């Protein structure tokens, strides 16, 4: 079994929890509170900036040219293309660029991005691979799950289409191959990769909860 599949098998209970979360099931049905969805959009914008940092630092740690080129290319694509796409996506739901940029990270968003950036600085390339994998694979799986559940087009159909697109499938396939390659090259890192993967997966689940409850600081 590929190491990426081993990780998914060990995190299957977390995947099930994500797919059954009311944010996901209500989004699929088109009944999700728009305020909760907007909270997700704004927090995900802030998350993506640190996700780009994760790939940048990973690229600097890569030892072969092809891996370095791809990782730094992903960081550039997030900043140059995906952030613009996210701003356009937000505008469709009435969220301005100024509002995105002034959004304060919720506690869960801080916990997740801090974990990723710390792993990038302190961890090995293999550990970074484990940490970044749940985001891409998780969103593809949630996207496919919501596509299966959805019966009609509605205001959240663009979300479903975004995370089931051919481009996103290709990006996820590369990420999966990256995890498998690290698993083969660095067998001594399997425990560290597994721990990083499971931590990120749990934080992915908490991100849905954060959006659904519109988590703030309560101050």
């Amino acid at each position: 079994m590929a190491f990426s599949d081993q990780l998914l098998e060990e995190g299957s209970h977390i995947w099930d929890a994500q797919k059954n979360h009311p944010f996901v099931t209500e989004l699929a049905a088109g009944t999700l509170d728009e305020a909760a969805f907007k909270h997700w959009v704004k927090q995900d914008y802030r998350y993506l900036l640190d996700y780009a940092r994760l790939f940048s630092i990973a690229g600097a740690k890569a030892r072969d040219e092809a891996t370095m080129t791809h990782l730094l290319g992903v960081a550039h694509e997030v900043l140059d293309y995906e952030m613009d796409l996210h701003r356009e996506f937000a505008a469709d739901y009435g969220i301005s660029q100024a509002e995105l940029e002034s959004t304060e990270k919720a506690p869960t968003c801080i916990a997740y991005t801090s974990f990723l950036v710390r792993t990038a600085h302190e961890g090995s390339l293999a550990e970074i691979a484990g940490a970044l994998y749940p985001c891409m694979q998780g969103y593809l799986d949630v996207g496919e799950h919501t596509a299966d559940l959805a019966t009609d087009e509605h205001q959240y159909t663009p979300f479903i289409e975004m995370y089931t697109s051919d481009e996103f499938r290709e990006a996820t396939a590369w990420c999966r191959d990256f995890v498998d390659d690290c698993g083969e090259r660095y067998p001594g890192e399997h425990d560290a990769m597994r721990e990083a993967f499971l931590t990120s997966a749990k934080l992915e689940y908490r991100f849905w909860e954060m959006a659904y409850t519109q988590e703030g600081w309560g101050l």
Side-chain angles (χ1 to χ4, degrees):
M1 182 186 292
F3 191 62
S4 59
D5 289 331
Q6 291 181 40
L7 294 176
L8 291 174
E9 189 173 272
E10 293 191 35
S12 61
H13 62 294
I14 306 171
W15 252 245
D16 289 342
Q18 290 192 73
K19 291 177 180 179
N20 291 323
H21 194 281
F23 185 100
V24 172
T25 57
E26 291 175 18
L27 181 146
T31 59
L32 179 67
D33 183 354
E34 188 171 312
F37 185 75
K38 287 182 175 181
H39 195 67
W40 172 82
V41 171
K42 290 186 283 187
Q43 292 297 319
D44 196 55
Y45 181 84
R46 299 304 309 275
Y47 170 90
L48 283 173
L49 290 169
D50 284 317
Y51 202 53
R53 289 187 179 93
L54 176 69
F55 277 94
S56 296
I57 298 166
K61 289 190 173 186
R63 297 188 178 184
D64 65 277
E65 183 179 350
T67 303
M68 179 185 292
T69 299
H70 193 94
L71 289 167
L72 292 175
V74 172
H76 176 74
E77 185 173 341
V78 170
L79 294 171
D80 188 53
Y81 171 72
E82 194 165 347
M83 298 302 291
D84 277 343
L85 187 66
H86 204 85
R87 283 187 280 267
E88 293 172 7
F89 184 72
D92 290 339
Y93 294 94
I95 305 170
S96 68
Q97 181 174 339
E99 192 174 357
L100 287 173
E101 293 174 351
S102 64
T103 294
E104 181 182 15
K105 286 182 182 177
T108 295
C109 188
I110 284 184
Y112 195 179
T113 57
S114 296
F115 168 72
L116 292 177
V117 174
R118 180 177 62 80
T119 300
H121 281 288
E122 298 179 3
S124 65
L125 187 64
E127 195 172 353
I128 295 170
L132 62 83
Y133 184 42
C135 180
M136 283 196 184
Q137 188 65 60
Y139 270 86
L140 175 59
D141 292 344
V142 163
E144 290 180 338
H145 181 62
T146 53
D148 289 341
L149 292 177
T151 56
D152 299 297
E153 289 193 4
H154 49 68
Q155 61 180 328
Y156 303 125
T157 298
F159 173 99
I160 297 171
E161 293 175 341
M162 181 187 304
Y163 292 111
T164 54
S165 67
D166 290 341
E167 293 81 4
F168 194 73
R169 290 179 190 279
E170 290 173 8
T172 304
W174 181 90
C175 187
R176 186 164 50 246
D177 290 342
F178 178 49
V179 171
D180 288 336
D181 183 60
C182 286
E184 290 179 9
R185 289 191 188 190
Y186 312 110
E189 295 278 353
H190 282 191
D191 287 345
M193 292 178 71
R194 184 177 294 107
E195 183 177 351
F197 170 83
L198 292 173
T199 298
S200 281
K202 292 171 187 174
L203 286 163
E204 281 290 330
Y205 171 79
R206 294 300 306 175
F207 210 88
W208 301 122
E209 179 70 8
M210 170 209 69
Y212 193 72
T213 61
Q214 300 173 55
E215 177 190 272
W217 289 97
L219 298 172

